[in-house]
Structures are given as structure tokens and as C-alpha cells.
Amino acid sequence: MAAPLHLLLVEDSEDDALLLLRELTRAGFAPVAERVDNRAAMESALDRQSWDLVIGDYSMPHFGGPDALALVRERGLEVPFIIVSGTIGEERAVAAMKAGASDYVPKGNLKRLVPVIERELREAAGRRERLVTAAALRAAEASYSTLVENAPVGIYRSTPAGRFLSANIALARILGYDSVAEVLGLDLTRGVYADPAERQRLLDRDSYTDREYDEVETTWKRRDGGRLTVQLSVRAVRRGDGSVEYYETFVRDLTQQRGLEAQLLHAQKMEAVGRLAGGVAHDFNNLLTVILSYSDLLLEDLPSDRSEREDIEEIRKAAVAASSLTRQLLAFSRQQVLQPRVLDINGVVTATEKLLTRLLGEDVRLTTSLASDLGAVKVDPGQLEQIIMNLAVNARDAMPRGGRLTIETANVDMDEAYVRGHPVAQPGRYAMLAVSDTGIGMDAETQARIFEPFFTTKDPGKGTGLGLATVYGIVKQSGGFIWVYSEPGHGTSFKIYLPRVDDAARSAPAASAPVVGGSETVLVVEDVPAVRAVASEMLTRYGYTVLEAADAETALRLAAKHDGEIHLLLTDVVMPDASGRELADKLVKLKPGMKVLYMSGYTDDAVVRHGVLQDGIAFLQKPFTPESLARKLRTVLDQS
């Protein structure tokens, strides 16, 4: 099959052109040709299409071969140009070749033309292939360069001695520099590694290959001295003798990720410790209920002149102190029962100012900076006071030589950008309470543990280690979060963020009514025998008729057999066979007018959700005293 050939002929003789085409056809080509004999016609032909070959007569009256050759070269066309002409002399032929002609063929020897054309077409195809390859290489290099420069990870090459050979802008950003040029001037060992000996230790492993990347994790330093945790993916490029020519390394900044992982582990540890603390507090609250109640009953029975009263008073004091510890454990574990109301933080701070002044002493100056437009929050007022007091006591102990304690409030709106840097936070509208001191401050290791229960930096006997744990639990249970800023020698600032609400703050509740008894029938359901016995004893002394049951099944049978009215059910919430709520739902069907009072040592139940008492639920926190039980019972019975 004839090979197509697009041929541009620069020839003024039509006969010579036909002769040339006949020769090409005999040689197996299928020429598609156009003949031109002036500059305008040739420019038009070059504009119209591309050509495989240009053949030009050297001598024409107005537009010869040299002119046509110059036009092709002006346009930068990589197309073979063969001069076919009569005798022009060796000097002119050499000049034409120097000007860019591919070859010269005399018109009297056209048989030589075919091999020349075949050769030139092969070479032209080779040149085009090389040009395509070179263009593809340039595009690949540009693409690779763009890929490296725009990569989200640092990329660099370095010598075994620690000199940078190349680096991308991402590496400069990781290290805190403005340009790659600054990075290239660094020494890896001294200018990048936090511990200069660490790089040598990594190199001494000598496990790097040129086939796969080895993953290592180490600590670098930024330009400003800050520490970075980085993951290095390293490949060694070796010479023929096995020695390392350079290292090729990809760098990922893991600093934030490791920080988040540490916070998650800390939160999980705190959660586990909280569950343990809550369980322990629950069991202790049952024991303390018995101790406190029987102590009060004994004091009530003993005459005022009996010497035994002092011993019982000491027992009661110890029980009260123990109940304070269990309340703090419940606060930390977020299993205390909160009775929140909408209030103004500024009002609570102002109300505690006088007490704080006496508590802090004369060498600590108290200053406040309260936002006038501070939004309201919904928290337990007693718990908020405890937060302020605990933080103030800690601040006082951190300033043994005196100093300044500052309490501030402000409205804070947190967006997604802020939350990304503070994983414990959630976007929203908050009221911020900040308690700051000018004390000794804390290092990072201490800050990581300050909210753990029983962790304290104070001397033995001077602290329980529950103050900050209690603050942490109250804040978390109230739907907020706490943040601490501290440096050794530069004081400490605790910032507490509580969700703002749109409701108006309410005034403080009225004072408690005096204790009175009654004659109603009360069903006491408690699975701990000692607690059940003392509760029944207390209610009997206040005049009530008491029915006792150790579990829900017994209580249901007892209620079904009882002919009279049962005015109130006093039930523990967590029991082995059924919860207090389930029991109450069943008993109310048997005794429709019965009131219900729940009691429990912690909040892990259906009565209290997330530590907040549901509306319409009457609840008594263990440990309780005869007086607190009688007052709460009377309040519930008298409700319409």
C-alpha cells in the first residue's frame, strides 16, 4: 500500500514538478502535493496545513530555494527541506546546507531523491518523537514540581552529614520558616532535631533501604523553639558500593494528633476513675446514712448532762466530714444530684466576696472585673459557690508570700475555629468565669494531673486532692468545660465556660420551714437492712406509721395486702430486682393517691438524668439525717 506524503513544491516549472511526482509514485509514495512559486502562495500553504516535506528549486526568477528555506526557518518549522535544482555549484550547495537545508539533489539525478526523502522522513519522525518525549518530560517535571510544592506533607532530601539538598514549602511551614531557602541553610542535627543525638541514633540503625520507606517518630523544634512530634518516612538512595548518597524523607506533623490522643486518654482515665469514685461514694453514703442517723437519734435520747454525748458528737463530726468527701467524689464523678436554676454569676461572685476576703487573708489582694452585660446560666447555686471557693483556696495556697487573686466574668461566643484548638469545647454561647492568681504556677506535667482525685502538690495533711476534681466534675455535669493556663513562676488562670440561657435569673429560695412530723402511713423500700432500719426508726419517732420492704416484689405484696391508704412511698432508686421508678409506677396503680420520695447515694438511675433532677420528682440525697428526712417527707406530703 502506497505511503501518503504531503509535499509542498517550490517550483516554477510545472513539467519539472510532474516529473518529480512521477518519480515518487514509482517509488511507492502517494504524494498529495501543492506547487507554489512565490512568497505569498507559500505563506498561504504553510498557514493552511502542515507538510511532511518541502522540496524547492534553488533558482527561480523572483522566489528561489534560499528564500523558501528562510521562510520555513523563520516560522520555526521542523520540516525537512530538500533542494532540487540544476547545477548550482558546490559552494552554493554548502551554503544552503548551512542555512538549514536537509540535502541537495540535482535535477539530473532524481533517482537519488527517493533515498534522501526516505532518510529525511525517518529522521523527521525521530525528531518528532524526541520532541514529544522531551515535552512529556518537561510536563512531568513541572507536574512533579507542582506535586511536591503543593504536597500537604514536608518533603526533603538530605546528605548523611545532615545537609539539606532540597525541600518543599510544606517543610518550611512545619518548621516555622518563611521560605525554603531558610530551611536549606539549616543543619539537620543542630537546627531541626530537638535532641541533636537523636538523629545519629536513628542513622545508626542503618535499616533504611532504597526499596521501601521506614517509619520513625521523633521530636523536632520549630524556628521559635517550640517542640514538634513528627513522623518521618525515610528511604536511603545508595551508590553502587552500598554507601548512602542521600536520604529521601516525607514528614508528617503529628503534634496536634498526639495532643488530641493524650487528651482522649486522659478523658478516658478520668471517666474510669469517676465511675470507681461514684461507686465507692454510693456504698459509703449508705454507711454514713446509718452512722449519722443513729448518732442523731442517740443524741436525741441522751440527757444533756451525760458524758457519752461528747463521744457521740465526735462520731457525728467524723461522719459529717466523711459525707463531705463523698459529696466531692460524687461531684468529680458527675453523679451528684444538681438542682439547677437560672442565675447571674456576677451575683454569686458578689455574694461570696466578703467570705473570700476573710478566707484569702490580708496578704492576698482580691480584685474583680465583672461584665455588666453577662448572660444568665443554669446551674446549681451551691455548686457554683463551691467552684469559686475551691479555686480561691487553691490560689491562696499557691501564693504563700501573698499576691493578687482576680475574678473575671465575660460573655464568650465560640465558633468552630476555636473548638478545633480546644477539643473539650463545643461551639456555642457561654458565660466565662475566670479565677487567676499570681502564684508559683505549674509545669505541664502537673497540669496534666490536676483534675485527678486525690492528686495534690500540697504537703501531707494539707489537702485531700479533691478540690479541683470537684470543680471539674461540677463544671462537666453542668454542661460546661474548664481550661487552665499556667507557667512555673507566672501564676495560674482557670477559665470556666458555662452555657448561657435566655431565661431571666431567679432569686434565691426561701428559708427552710421548721421540722414537723405527721401521722400518715409511709412504705419504706430499701435493700440495705441498716439503712431501712434507721429510716423506719426515724419516721416512727416523728409519728408516722411505717411499713418496711427489702425489695420491689415484697413491697408490691405488702401494698396489695394493706387495707388502708399508703400516703407515701420512700424508696431507694437502685435495687437488685427492680428500680425505684419501676416500683413506683406499679404501686401508684394500686394506691392512686400515693406520693413518692426517692432516695439514693448517686445519680446512675432513671430518676436523675445526667445528674439533673427531673421536674416533678422528689429526691433525697444520701447520707441524710433525721431532720433532713422529716423536712423533705413533710414537704412532699403537703404538696397538693
Side-chain angles (χ1 to χ4, degrees):
M1 184 177 180
L5 177 66
H6 290 84
L7 176 63
L8 181 60
L9 285 172
V10 184
E11 175 64 64
D12 59 347
S13 171
E14 186 174 352
D15 292 338
D16 287 351
L18 291 173
L19 182 64
L20 190 149
L21 292 174
R22 193 178 302 118
E23 190 69 29
L24 291 175
T25 302
R26 282 201 299 267
F29 290 100
V32 177
E34 180 175 346
R35 184 176 66 85
V36 297
D37 58 3
N38 59 71
R39 183 181 182 89
M42 185 171 180
E43 285 181 338
S44 176
L46 292 176
D47 290 337
R48 196 164 48 252
Q49 70 175 75
S50 60
W51 301 93
D52 297 325
L53 185 70
V54 179
I55 296 178
D57 190 358
Y58 189 85
S59 300
M60 291 193 301
H62 303 292
F63 185 72
D67 299 318
L69 177 60
L71 179 59
V72 170
R73 296 301 171 247
E74 282 174 13
R75 296 197 171 204
L77 300 176
E78 293 291 333
V79 57
F81 192 107
I82 301 173
I83 291 188
V84 177
S85 187
T87 302
I88 60 174
E90 183 178 345
E91 185 177 342
R92 288 184 176 182
V94 171
M97 299 289 284
K98 287 182 177 180
S102 301
D103 208 336
Y104 161 72
V105 177
K107 285 187 176 181
N109 189 16
L110 290 182
K111 291 183 178 180
R112 182 174 173 271
L113 179 63
V114 172
V116 169
I117 290 176
E118 290 176 341
R119 183 197 70 205
E120 290 303 321
L121 291 176
R122 285 194 304 271
E123 291 184 359
R127 284 194 299 273
R128 285 194 299 272
E129 184 177 348
R130 288 191 295 274
L131 287 172
V132 169
T133 301
L137 181 59
R138 286 193 300 272
E141 289 175 345
S143 176
Y144 170 78
S145 177
T146 302
L147 175 66
V148 170
E149 286 305 312
N150 295 332
V153 297
I155 303 174
Y156 71 90
R157 285 175 175 167
S158 62
T159 67
R163 184 172 59 85
F164 281 105
L165 296 175
S166 63
N168 69 344
I169 191 63
L171 182 68
R173 285 195 296 265
I174 289 173
L175 291 171
Y177 290 91
D178 298 325
S179 67
V180 171
E182 292 176 288
V183 174
L184 295 180
L186 295 175
D187 175 79
L188 260 169
T189 302
R190 294 186 299 274
V192 175
Y193 278 81
D195 178 6
E198 177 66 13
R199 180 174 184 270
Q200 191 57 48
R201 285 194 293 270
L202 295 176
L203 293 180
D204 288 343
R205 292 166 42 177
D206 197 29
S207 59
Y208 308 107
T209 71
D210 58 357
R211 293 181 298 278
E212 60 184 39
Y213 288 90
D214 194 9
E215 305 285 349
V216 297
E217 191 169 309
T218 187
T219 303
W220 280 6
K221 59 184 178 183
R222 290 173 53 86
R223 182 181 192 174
D224 59 9
R227 294 298 190 259
L228 296 167
T229 300
V230 294
Q231 182 188 66
L232 307 180
S233 301
V234 187
R235 182 175 75 93
V237 177
R238 299 179 182 272
R239 301 182 181 89
D241 61 1
S243 62
V244 176
E245 182 177 357
Y246 60 84
Y247 293 103
E248 188 176 78
T249 308
F250 291 83
V251 184
R252 287 182 60 216
D253 185 356
L254 302 181
T255 307
Q256 185 177 18
Q257 178 182 331
R258 292 292 181 260
L260 293 175
E261 290 172 355
Q263 290 187 28
L264 175 60
L265 289 173
H266 181 68
Q268 290 173 336
K269 180 176 71 173
M270 297 284 277
E271 191 68 30
V273 174
R275 286 195 296 269
L276 174 63
V280 170
H282 171 257
D283 292 340
F284 267 95
N285 278 337
N286 280 326
L287 298 174
L288 292 170
T289 298
V290 176
I291 296 171
L292 280 171
S293 299
Y294 276 120
S295 297
D296 284 347
L297 292 177
L298 284 171
L299 290 171
E300 183 181 320
D301 292 340
L302 285 174
S304 58
D305 58 348
R306 290 288 295 271
S307 60
E308 292 93 337
R309 289 184 65 89
E310 292 185 7
D311 296 336
I312 297 172
E313 289 281 5
E314 290 302 318
I315 293 173
R316 191 181 188 283
K317 286 180 183 178
V320 170
S323 67
S324 176
L325 289 177
T326 58
R327 280 196 303 273
Q328 292 185 72
L329 285 174
L330 288 174
F332 164 73
S333 61
R334 286 172 274 166
Q335 292 179 346
Q336 63 182 340
V337 179
L338 300 181
Q339 300 187 42
R341 61 186 180 88
V342 179
L343 53 81
D344 175 20
I345 296 179
N346 288 347
V348 178
V349 173
T350 302
T352 59
E353 250 186 284
K354 289 184 179 179
L355 179 59
L356 286 175
T357 302
R358 291 194 297 270
L359 178 70
L360 295 172
E362 296 180 355
D363 57 348
V364 175
R365 183 162 56 93
L366 174 65
T367 59
T368 59
S369 176
L370 309 180
S372 58
D373 60 343
L374 188 67
V377 297
K378 189 173 184 179
V379 296
D380 187 307
Q383 301 297 341
L384 182 57
E385 289 177 4
Q386 188 174 2
I387 288 174
I388 297 171
M389 298 301 291
N390 285 7
L391 292 178
V393 168
N394 263 46
R396 179 198 64 190
D397 294 343
M399 298 183 287
R401 298 179 181 176
R404 185 176 66 256
L405 177 69
T406 304
I407 300 179
E408 302 172 74
T409 60
N411 292 319
V412 176
D413 294 326
M414 292 187 183
D415 56 16
E416 293 287 350
Y418 181 90
V419 169
R420 280 195 295 271
H422 301 77
V424 296
Q426 295 293 329
R429 301 162 55 245
Y430 293 88
M432 185 271 292
L433 168 67
V435 179
S436 308
D437 64 64
T438 57
I440 58 177
M442 296 178 285
D443 57 24
E445 184 178 352
T446 302
Q447 289 182 56
R449 300 191 60 192
I450 54 174
F451 296 121
E452 296 178 12
F454 307 116
F455 173 77
T456 179
T457 58
K458 299 175 184 177
D459 295 334
K462 292 189 177 180
T464 63
L466 287 173
L468 290 178
T470 301
V471 171
Y472 174 86
I474 293 172
V475 172
K476 294 291 286 184
Q477 194 173 3
S478 300
F481 69 95
I482 184 169
W483 204 254
V484 59
Y485 306 83
S486 185
E487 291 182 21
H490 292 83
T492 301
S493 178
F494 287 93
K495 291 188 176 181
I496 294 162
Y497 298 87
L498 297 171
R500 296 204 307 267
V501 296
D502 295 325
D503 300 338
R506 286 183 270 171
S507 58
S512 301
V515 179
V516 291
S519 59
E520 291 91 345
T521 299
V522 178
L523 173 57
V524 178
V525 185
E526 167 64 62
D527 60 312
V528 179
V531 177
R532 185 173 67 251
V534 74
S536 299
E537 173 68 18
M538 288 187 287
L539 293 177
T540 300
R541 292 197 179 200
Y542 278 102
Y544 295 101
T545 300
V546 179
L547 305 175
E548 296 183 40
D551 51 50
E553 185 179 350
T554 304
L556 287 169
R557 288 200 307 268
L558 187 60
K561 292 179 181 179
H562 186 71
D563 293 332
E565 186 177 358
I566 297 178
H567 299 90
L568 184 138
L569 167 67
L570 174 63
T571 179
D572 192 18
V573 175
V574 181
M575 294 184 293
D577 56 342
S579 72
R581 186 62 181 267
E582 292 169 340
L583 171 62
D585 291 341
K586 293 177 181 178
L587 279 177
V588 167
K589 294 177 182 177
L590 289 174
K591 306 291 182 181
M594 184 184 68
K595 304 288 182 65
V596 181
L597 173 58
Y598 298 98
M599 57 181 174
S600 184
Y602 67 146
T603 71
D604 188 15
D605 49 62
V607 174
V608 182
R609 297 294 185 187
H610 307 296
V612 179
L613 200 61
Q614 296 180 10
D615 292 337
I617 298 294
F619 183 86
L620 183 62
Q621 177 76 54
K622 295 178 182 177
F624 50 78
T625 64
E627 181 181 337
S628 62
L629 172 60
R631 179 177 286 112
K632 188 69 176 180
L633 195 75
R634 193 69 260 162
T635 300
V636 176
L637 284 170
D638 292 341
Q639 287 176 348
S640 57

